Amino acid sequence: MIDWTKKGFATRAIHAGQGPDPLTGAVNVPVYLTSTFAQEEIGKNKGYDYSRAGNPTRDAVEVSLAALEGGTSAHTFASGMAAITALITMMRTGDHVICGENVYGGTTRMFNQVSSRYGIEFTYVDTSDPENVRRAIRSTTRLVHIETPTNPLMTLTDLRAVADVCHEHGVDLSVDNTFMSPYLQRPIEFGADIVMHSTTKFLNGHSDGLGGVLVGTRPEHKETFSFVQKSTGGILSPFESFLILRGVKTLAVRMKQHDENGRKVAEFLTKHPKVHGVHYPGLKTHPQHELAKKQMRGFGSMLSFDVGSQEHANDMLKRVRVCTLGESLGGVESLISHPATMTHAAIGAEMRKKIGITDGLVRISVGIEDINDILDDLKQAMEWMGR
Ligand SMILES: *Cc1c(COP(=O)(O)O)cnc(C)c1O
């Protein structure tokens, strides 16, 4: 048996968890559309009894994702939010969680409006300065949950520095790595204890299925998260598991192209006379460009830029043709959005102002179409601004 975890990233993405089917030799993992499994006699089965507890297609994608992030186990859920919910079941009443102040809006909604009702306490800090994390730690703190880079302003957190602060105090660090994918950033290599993804984005990569994953590094993660899958039931379906298995096979080539196109769009925008500022860690002008080079293997395809006003943003957004105006990110197609009225509408104007999300801010998840077609599309759409 080859140990795929020792191979290169692109090889792992194609082979880890994805060996030929032992029964038929099929080169793809079959989609085991079954709720239950026949048992030979009382207490004797082939390792599966009911698909909520375990399903061979889901097992395969979990082996694959653990290998890609460099963790020891992975557990998949019906969506990114279901994965975060499973993560929080590790907490008890009275426990304290420190969270990045600009994480995915659904995460803070879940923490503030669901988890806090069970007596779990949350503090939000700007984790771009690790000292803020240190200052927020209490005797009851059990988890620090961050995103780097943040959405949509692309602010980085030093993974190694925050992991060190956490471990000095016996606190776990979990990182939502959705924006980067394991191809571009592997937080476990910098000390993270748990990595979480919305697989809906780059891991699936084709905007055709929701999913979430928790990658763990210790035996207790494997035990806890498989128990949570069985007990709370928010598991990834066999078909959705297959879509991710299929998606990750091309993760390396997709991310290379996303990264290349992302850099070119960022360069184009910095030179555009109607753009007031571009947030992209690949630009030398990004205040954390050096940190980005240290902890990321590329800069990805997520970026945001300011066109001055909501009117200008709308002039442009209603005229894009290659890019699609919509929420979400990480698909092969370019997706463009307006954070103030879409992803960040719920946090309110005051909070948006505090973290720097202006009404003229536009976010792009640059896809892997031909770069000239993406640039021409942005160019023509921006000509309509302020007309
Ligand atoms: C989309 C997203 C989520 C939520 O994932 P769903 O699959 O939509 O539930 C969490 N974190 C980040 C960074 C995301 O982009």
Side-chain angles (χ1 to χ4, degrees):
M1 268 273 286
I2 295 180
D3 181 359
W4 295 109
T5 63
K6 301 277 187 294
K7 301 288 181 192
F9 188 91
T11 308
R12 297 208 293 284
I14 293 168
H15 294 289
Q18 308 216 47
D21 175 36
L23 189 64
T24 63
V27 295
N28 286 299
V29 176
V31 185
Y32 284 91
L33 291 173
T34 188
S35 56
T36 189
F37 298 82
Q39 310 195 9
E40 287 149 61
E41 57 179 270
I42 292 174
K44 195 167 172 209
N45 60 43
K46 294 183 160 64
Y48 297 96
D49 53 18
Y50 189 63
S51 273
R52 173 155 35 75
N55 175 285
T57 318
R58 197 175 85 217
D59 279 1
V61 77
E62 292 176 348
V63 169
S64 166
L65 296 178
L68 293 182
E69 280 292 358
T72 54
S73 65
H75 291 86
T76 53
F77 298 87
S79 66
M81 287 320 305
I84 295 177
T85 304
L87 174 69
I88 290 299
T89 62
M90 291 182 86
M91 303 297 118
R92 293 163 193 268
T93 301
D95 283 347
H96 176 237
V97 176
I98 297 168
C99 183
E101 71 174 358
N102 191 19
V103 298
Y104 182 71
T107 303
T108 46
R109 178 174 56 206
M110 210 278 284
F111 287 175
N112 295 341
Q113 297 183 47
V114 182
S115 310
S116 67
R117 289 198 273 119
Y118 298 86
I120 300 161
E121 295 190 66
F122 295 89
T123 304
Y124 297 91
V125 302
D126 174 0
T127 58
S128 67
D129 181 356
E131 287 310 306
N132 292 339
V133 176
R134 188 191 303 280
R135 273 192 290 272
I137 289 178
R138 307 176 189 167
S139 61
T140 52
T141 307
R142 294 206 35 219
L143 182 73
V144 173
H145 179 74
I146 65 166
E147 283 173 29
T148 176
T150 60
N151 172 25
L153 294 168
M154 308 305 289
T155 306
L156 272 62
T157 289
D158 186 330
L159 288 166
R160 170 64 66 192
V162 171
D164 287 349
V165 169
C166 288
H167 298 156
E168 272 168 41
H169 295 84
V171 172
D172 272 354
L173 173 64
S174 76
V175 179
D176 181 339
N177 200 29
T178 302
F179 262 41
M180 283 295 107
S181 89
Y183 180 77
L184 292 175
Q185 176 170 278
R186 290 195 282 283
I188 290 169
E189 292 174 2
F190 296 91
D193 301 283
I194 296 165
V195 169
M196 175 261 147
H197 278 272
S198 165
T199 63
T200 312
K201 318 294 167 52
F202 288 104
L203 287 170
N204 173 302
H206 296 74
S207 305
D208 55 10
L210 268 72
V213 66
L214 295 175
V215 179
T217 55
R218 297 199 298 269
E220 68 173 281
H221 297 145
K222 184 171 177 170
E223 254 166 61
T224 308
F225 298 139
S226 66
F227 182 73
V228 171
Q229 283 183 319
K230 183 165 73 175
S231 306
T232 65
I235 42 126
L236 194 67
S237 78
F239 187 70
E240 247 67 29
S241 300
F242 165 77
L243 289 176
I244 300 169
L245 285 168
R246 184 180 159 113
V248 295
K249 285 185 183 180
T250 56
L251 185 64
V253 285
R254 280 190 287 113
M255 293 316 297
K256 264 184 220 165
Q257 196 63 48
H258 276 298
D259 182 52
E260 190 181 315
N261 286 4
R263 292 176 198 224
K264 288 185 177 153
V265 170
E267 284 296 330
F268 159 76
L269 290 169
T270 53
K271 293 190 191 110
H272 197 285
K274 290 180 180 167
V275 171
H276 304 290
V278 183
H279 306 282
Y280 183 68
L283 294 172
K284 289 198 181 65
T285 50
H286 188 287
Q288 295 162 303
H289 181 62
E290 291 306 315
L291 175 61
K293 285 201 287 194
K294 205 170 80 186
Q295 68 184 23
M296 291 150 60
R297 290 180 149 75
F299 307 110
S301 65
M302 296 304 301
L303 56 89
S304 64
F305 57 102
D306 202 311
V307 296
S309 68
Q310 183 161 328
E311 289 68 43
H312 280 192
N314 199 37
D315 289 342
M316 170 186 183
L317 291 172
K318 67 184 183 197
R319 284 177 176 102
V320 288
R321 293 294 175 263
V322 176
C323 300
T324 302
L325 175 58
E327 305 216 1
S328 200
L329 59 112
V332 289
E333 64 287 309
S334 294
L335 284 166
I336 195 161
S337 64
H338 184 242
T341 57
M342 296 167 76
T343 49
H344 290 70
I347 65 171
E350 201 177 316
M351 188 63 185
R352 282 198 299 277
K353 193 165 173 210
K354 184 176 169 230
I355 57 186
I357 299 173
T358 58
D359 289 347
L361 197 74
V362 173
R363 183 187 86 179
I364 312 188
S365 165
V366 181
I368 59 172
E369 299 94 342
D370 285 294
I371 185 63
N372 290 336
D373 292 326
I374 300 172
L375 295 178
D376 285 347
D377 188 44
L378 294 174
K379 223 178 279 174
Q380 66 79 23
M382 289 168 88
E383 273 168 23
W384 295 91
M385 291 194 316
R387 275 212 187 160

